[in-house]
Amino acid sequence: MSDAQLFILYFVLFLLTIARVKELISYEKLEEKYERFTMLAESTCQRRNELKYYQQVKYIAHGGPWTNFALVREPAERFMSGFMTVCRNESYGTQNCEGCVRDVKCALRKTLERSQRFAMGDVNAISTLSWHLGPQNWHCDFRDNLKNFKLVHYSPTRKDKLAEDLRALLKEGKVDNSDIELIAFQISNGTTKHATSHLHVKTEFNEQMQDDEVQRLLIKIFFWDYILLNFPLPDVKV
């Protein structure tokens, strides 16, 4: 092949590469717009059938019977899921992970510091990081109404158990069988766009979770989650 032919070949390959890059960029922009649209669509439930406080539910029930339950997650597993949502890469974590992108120990230290400030009454301590990674028992009005909740343990590795538990609860709440089976099917076979359990990078973060200091930080932050939500405390070296 002559030099001229090689030049033409390389030039064609270059043009094809540029075209592919443009295609990928366009696809990423389209995907970003789609995700924003999805978030807007999901937000239409706000102020319609979405309630935020236990007292709101109690008021709407007008004294009638209802089954009140909450899905709760093993604290370390929940932390890892939140960490991978907020801190696994620069594109999202730069603004929200407070300098702890891909660093489990750093994120735990930040969460502990903010949680301690919030517990002392500093409402400015709440951030995207602490909201995703802080204690579960600070949500859902658990502080004053935990006794009124039936707690359902959730794990993406035990979807069948979750579906079984929900079947019993929904049946108790007199939900139609067809609706119960639809919900159970979707739980057993589906996931959400926020799911993180399938991500390959989880292996790297799980290795960081084995660090002794990380384990101690988990206990400091989530001790009452383990106790109140009925999860066994991990065996941690003091």
Side-chain angles (χ1 to χ4, degrees):
M1 185 177 291
S2 67
D3 291 342
Q5 289 174 320
L6 280 173
F7 175 79
I8 293 172
L9 176 61
Y10 288 148
F11 184 69
V12 170
L13 290 174
F14 173 76
L15 291 178
L16 290 173
T17 302
I18 293 297
R20 179 56 178 159
V21 169
K22 287 183 177 179
E23 178 185 340
L24 289 172
I25 291 173
S26 298
Y27 176 78
E28 288 176 359
K29 288 182 178 178
L30 180 63
E31 187 178 49
E32 181 181 351
K33 289 180 180 179
Y34 174 77
E35 288 184 359
R36 289 180 181 176
F37 175 79
T38 303
M39 291 175 66
L40 287 172
E42 291 174 347
S43 297
T44 58
C45 292
Q46 290 183 351
R47 300 182 180 87
R48 296 176 67 184
N49 66 349
E50 178 189 39
L51 303 177
K52 297 181 180 296
Y53 305 104
Y54 177 82
Q55 291 301 322
Q56 291 176 317
V57 180
K58 186 176 180 180
Y59 175 79
I60 289 176
H62 294 296
W66 85 92
T67 301
N68 200 59
F69 65 91
L71 302 185
V72 293
R73 196 167 180 180
E74 197 280 329
E77 184 181 84
R78 175 180 174 271
F79 166 81
M80 176 55 66
S81 177
F83 176 82
M84 291 178 66
T85 297
V86 180
C87 297
R88 75 173 182 268
N89 57 49
E90 294 286 351
S91 62
Y92 189 82
T94 299
Q95 293 181 338
N96 299 293
C97 199
E98 302 180 29
C100 296
V101 174
R102 303 180 75 91
D103 189 335
V104 169
K105 190 182 297 184
C106 173
L108 280 167
R109 287 171 175 166
K110 288 282 187 180
T111 302
L112 176 61
E113 183 263 332
R114 285 190 173 275
S115 297
Q116 289 173 331
R117 284 170 50 198
F118 180 73
M120 295 297 291
D122 182 4
V123 295
N124 294 320
I126 292 296
S127 67
T128 298
L129 184 73
S130 61
W131 180 257
H132 279 81
L133 308 186
Q136 289 174 85
N137 71 82
W138 289 0
H139 294 267
C140 300
D141 283 350
F142 280 155
R143 185 186 68 176
D144 300 316
N145 297 288
L146 184 61
K147 64 182 182 297
N148 298 316
F149 282 87
K150 293 185 177 182
L151 300 179
V152 179
H153 287 190
Y154 161 72
S155 173
T157 62
R158 302 186 66 194
K159 288 184 178 180
D160 290 342
K161 178 65 168 62
L162 174 61
E164 178 184 333
D165 291 342
L166 284 181
R167 275 195 182 96
L169 280 169
L170 296 173
K171 186 174 182 179
E172 178 185 330
K174 303 187 185 309
V175 177
D176 290 342
N177 285 334
S178 59
D179 293 332
I180 292 175
E181 290 309 312
L182 175 62
I183 292 169
F185 175 81
Q186 290 180 335
I187 287 173
S188 299
N189 297 279
T191 185
T192 71
K193 67 178 183 179
H194 298 295
T196 59
S197 58
H198 64 287
L199 298 176
H200 296 301
V201 73
K202 186 176 180 180
T203 302
E204 172 193 335
F205 300 140
N206 278 336
E207 290 176 358
Q208 294 185 43
M209 291 284 282
Q210 305 310 309
D211 180 83
D212 289 344
E213 184 182 352
V214 165
Q215 293 292 311
R216 287 192 289 270
L217 285 166
L218 286 169
I219 295 298
K220 286 182 179 179
I221 299 168
F222 303 119
F223 177 82
W224 286 110
D225 276 357
Y226 282 106
I227 300 302
L228 296 175
L229 306 182
N230 196 29
F231 289 100
L233 280 165
D235 185 14
V236 178
K237 297 178 182 178
V238 179

